Amino acid sequence: MSFSDHIRACNNYNRARVVPFFADERRIGWLRRDNAAALARFRRVFAVERDRVHLVARGDVDAVSAAVDEVVEALVLENRLPKWRNETFDVAPRWGERPLFRVDRGAVAFFGVRAYGVDLNGYRRDRGEVQLWVGRRAPDKRLAPNKLDNLVAGGIGNGYGVAATLAKEADEEAGIPASLIERAVPVGAITYLMENEIGIRDGVLFVYDLELPADFVPRNRDGEVVDFRLMPARSVIQRIRATDDFKFDVNLVFLDFALRHGLLDIDDPEYLDVASGLHRPFD
Amino acid sequence: MSFSDHIRACNNYNRARVVPFFADERRIGWLRRDNAAALARFRRVFAVERDRVHLVARGDVDAVSAAVDEVVEALVLENRLPKWRNETFDVAPRWGERPLFRVDRGAVAFFGVRAYGVDLNGYRRDRGEVQLWVGRRAPDKRLAPNKLDNLVAGGIGNGYGVAATLAKEADEEAGIPASLIERAVPVGAITYLMENEIGIRDGVLFVYDLELPADFVPRNRDGEVVDFRLMPARSVIQRIRATDDFKFDVNLVFLDFALRHGLLDIDDPEYLDVASGLHRPFD
């Protein structure tokens, strides 16, 4: 196990296994070839060609979303997709642009549309040493059950902005009050492109750092985290190097934290793999 | 002008215009096709094939370096290369590996071998506002004369490590004493791949942050910088967005600084272009 193994795992996307998914001549997703084939019979919604798929459903966001939902429902019924999450993500060619439609969170990777999330590093300094708050995911989470996770992390649902998602998740997941989360500093984004069981995860994580007071103790309120522990940041990094204990993309978020805070030794043989591997450029 | 324009300018590399340069079946550089053709007659040093070039000179580092130097001398004489810089860079397939040979700094981009440098953000906080020390490059610099630059920046010459290069350049370029530069924090690396007049610049900049005391004033000692000024970091970023006043890759270094220090607005339409554009993955 190495840092690079985690970076590679999050970037195992293989261009040969996918076709681009277009809307109005702009790419909005990546469809694995088997997923593209499964869309061929929904001719009023998708036009499946040999090397690309087009969205052909027309109308406003509600109309297109309804057309896509019918397809998602059919795919759920034939077990190509997990059950509905009943939480929708906006789909647009670019962050900040007007969405073309909304899609259920469970189908995001099927269509390979970009999935946006927030991730909060909650840390404190004890006698010069940086400590990180680390959570453990509940055993009944669909994705990465029991894995170690960041203090706060969550997907950006339809209609929510970045800061609003952070505040909501910080409250639900870790009991961080509004007065404290306001001090969180946006420090960039992690980007990766990963094939998973469902399709392609085009992941973008907006990353925040929050220095927490010594008397703050996180309390989970939504049942998604079973416990929190405070760990020396250097121990977190050693454990990332040696194990698969952390959720796949959380490895990358903590490596970014270590890099930015000078906790990674510049003579580490993997220093440049980490520095160059956490921000896959958009195509 | 936009942030993305600067990122694109540093990543204008076009795979179709180059061929890989191999040593023992490992790629060590990218040769523009006209440069590859110019090497064809040096058969004891290079084997030029249609879609790749191999290093065939054999021997220890000194022997291979001498063979490459003869080629460089011939290319300088026919004005394919600028005059000798008399400063050599190590060439290896990967940072930290044993070098295969040394090459004059002026020929690094001709062969498209990776060029490593250090870059120091020197900043201070005045009443909550972050200020950056910005230098102006001398008018007689070959590369980017008169452009605005970071407080300290320099290439990593043969035999120098990262920290040693930083200390040396910090002393020569800005008069930063050893006792101060020791506090500099390594915070990652910028990576880019750029075609320039000579060939391909495969740039890697190890980035450091150094918070400077209010009474520190930089003094240049090597004639490479004509003046230094303290600028609010937000003004630096606005000027990067609006102008071409900064050296090409320094735009990227300051954008990275702004991102890591929370100085870039998360709602900036270019936020994700910046977050995903400063660290081109190694191939």
Side-chain angles (χ1 to χ4, degrees):
Chain A
M1 196 106 268
S2 67
F3 296 151
S4 300
D5 287 334
H6 296 301
I7 293 169
R8 267 193 296 270
C10 289
N11 288 281
N12 66 346
Y13 153 90
N14 178 347
R15 179 65 181 84
R17 289 172 56 78
V18 303
V19 296
F21 173 29
F22 285 93
D24 296 328
E25 296 307 313
R26 294 179 71 192
R27 192 186 65 74
I28 55 172
W30 290 113
L31 280 156
R32 208 167 52 197
R33 287 178 185 276
D34 58 328
N35 291 346
L39 296 178
R41 65 193 158 101
F42 303 102
R43 294 174 193 282
R44 286 184 311 141
V45 188
F46 302 104
V48 177
E49 299 173 10
R50 192 172 175 285
D51 281 320
R52 46 167 45 194
V53 173
H54 295 272
L55 178 74
V56 294
R58 286 285 172 270
D60 62 13
V61 170
D62 288 338
V64 176
S65 302
V68 172
D69 277 354
E70 277 184 47
V71 174
V72 170
E73 175 67 9
L75 296 171
V76 169
L77 288 176
E78 58 194 50
N79 290 317
R80 281 195 174 270
L81 273 180
K83 66 176 165 53
W84 291 79
R85 298 279 290 268
N86 296 315
E87 180 188 350
T88 53
F89 276 23
D90 282 328
V91 178
R94 245 180 86 94
W95 177 251
E97 287 193 16
R98 210 157 41 87
L100 302 170
F101 61 97
R102 299 177 295 274
V103 68
D104 190 73
R105 189 168 179 173
V108 164
F110 184 92
F111 294 105
V113 295
R114 203 158 273 161
Y116 298 93
V118 295
D119 233 280
L120 177 75
N121 300 301
Y123 69 102
R124 67 186 219 207
R125 295 178 204 275
D126 288 343
R127 280 154 280 128
E129 190 180 50
V130 178
Q131 311 242 27
L132 279 164
W133 278 105
V134 173
R136 180 178 290 277
R137 296 165 69 84
D140 60 352
K141 292 279 279 187
R142 177 199 310 275
L143 194 66
N146 297 308
K147 293 283 186 186
L148 297 178
D149 203 343
N150 215 332
L151 177 58
V152 176
I156 301 180
N158 145 249
Y160 283 90
V162 184
T165 301
L166 178 69
K168 171 176 159 289
E169 297 286 342
D171 174 47
E172 292 173 5
E173 290 199 348
I176 301 174
S179 59
L180 203 47
I181 200 67
E182 278 171 6
R183 295 187 219 156
V185 180
V187 289
I190 302 296
T191 52
Y192 62 91
L193 199 52
M194 180 182 194
E195 183 174 336
N196 62 18
E197 287 179 24
I198 295 170
I200 301 295
R201 188 177 175 106
D202 187 349
V204 174
L205 297 173
F206 290 94
V207 180
Y208 285 79
D209 280 0
L210 176 59
E211 185 162 1
L212 289 160
D215 61 358
F216 171 80
V217 176
R219 279 169 303 111
N220 179 254
R221 307 198 297 133
D222 62 6
E224 298 195 4
V225 184
V226 288
D227 65 66
F228 290 105
R229 71 194 81 176
L230 195 61
M231 291 175 68
R234 291 187 189 277
S235 305
V236 170
I237 297 308
Q238 280 170 20
R239 191 150 168 187
I240 284 173
R241 169 116 68 183
T243 75
D244 222 3
D245 292 345
F246 290 85
K247 181 177 170 241
F248 52 95
D249 53 2
V250 173
N251 290 299
L252 274 51
V253 175
F254 280 144
L255 283 172
D256 172 68
F257 180 88
L259 206 58
R260 289 184 292 101
H261 288 264
L263 303 173
L264 222 59
D265 186 353
I266 195 124
D267 293 319
D268 191 299
E270 292 196 280
Y271 192 86
L272 285 181
D273 299 298
V274 174
S276 67
L278 308 177
H279 310 91
R280 188 186 182 99
F282 292 157
D283 43 55
Chain B
M1 194 106 281
S2 69
F3 296 151
S4 301
D5 287 334
H6 296 300
I7 293 169
R8 267 193 297 272
C10 289
N11 288 281
N12 66 346
Y13 153 89
N14 178 347
R15 178 66 180 83
R17 289 172 57 79
V18 302
V19 296
F21 173 28
F22 285 92
D24 296 328
E25 296 308 314
R26 295 180 70 193
R27 192 186 65 74
I28 57 172
W30 291 113
L31 280 156
R32 207 167 53 198
R33 287 179 184 276
D34 58 329
N35 291 348
L39 296 179
R41 66 193 159 99
F42 303 101
R43 294 176 194 277
R44 287 184 310 139
V45 188
F46 302 104
V48 177
E49 299 172 9
R50 192 172 175 285
D51 280 321
R52 47 169 43 195
V53 173
H54 294 271
L55 178 73
V56 294
R58 286 286 173 268
D60 61 12
V61 170
D62 288 338
V64 176
S65 302
V68 172
D69 276 355
E70 277 185 46
V71 174
V72 169
E73 175 68 10
L75 297 171
V76 169
L77 288 175
E78 59 194 50
N79 290 318
R80 280 195 176 268
L81 273 182
K83 67 177 164 54
W84 291 78
R85 298 279 291 268
N86 296 315
E87 181 188 350
T88 53
F89 276 24
D90 282 328
V91 178
R94 244 180 87 93
W95 177 251
E97 287 192 17
R98 211 156 39 87
L100 302 170
F101 60 96
R102 299 177 295 273
V103 68
D104 190 74
R105 188 170 179 170
V108 164
F110 184 92
F111 294 105
V113 295
R114 204 160 272 162
Y116 299 92
V118 295
D119 233 282
L120 177 76
N121 300 301
Y123 69 101
R124 66 186 220 209
R125 297 178 202 276
D126 289 342
R127 280 154 279 128
E129 190 180 52
V130 178
Q131 311 241 28
L132 278 164
W133 279 106
V134 173
R136 181 178 290 277
R137 296 165 69 85
D140 60 354
K141 291 280 277 187
R142 178 200 308 275
L143 194 67
N146 298 307
K147 292 284 186 185
L148 298 178
D149 203 342
N150 215 332
L151 176 58
V152 176
I156 301 179
N158 145 249
Y160 282 91
V162 183
T165 301
L166 178 71
K168 172 176 159 287
E169 297 286 342
D171 174 49
E172 292 174 6
E173 289 199 348
I176 301 175
S179 59
L180 203 46
I181 199 68
E182 278 169 7
R183 295 186 218 157
V185 179
V187 290
I190 302 296
T191 52
Y192 62 92
L193 199 52
M194 180 183 193
E195 181 173 338
N196 61 19
E197 286 179 25
I198 295 169
I200 301 294
R201 187 178 175 103
D202 186 349
V204 174
L205 298 173
F206 290 93
V207 180
Y208 285 79
D209 281 1
L210 175 60
E211 185 161 0
L212 289 159
D215 61 359
F216 171 81
V217 176
R219 280 168 303 110
N220 180 255
R221 306 198 297 133
D222 63 6
E224 298 194 4
V225 183
V226 289
D227 66 66
F228 290 104
R229 71 194 79 175
L230 195 61
M231 292 174 67
R234 289 186 190 277
S235 305
V236 170
I237 296 308
Q238 280 171 19
R239 190 149 168 189
I240 284 173
R241 169 115 71 184
T243 76
D244 221 3
D245 292 345
F246 290 84
K247 179 175 172 243
F248 53 95
D249 54 2
V250 173
N251 290 298
L252 275 49
V253 175
F254 280 144
L255 283 172
D256 172 67
F257 180 88
L259 206 57
R260 289 184 292 101
H261 288 264
L263 303 172
L264 222 59
D265 186 351
I266 195 122
D267 293 319
D268 191 300
E270 291 195 280
Y271 192 86
L272 285 180
D273 299 298
V274 174
S276 66
L278 308 178
H279 311 90
R280 188 186 182 99
F282 293 158
D283 44 55

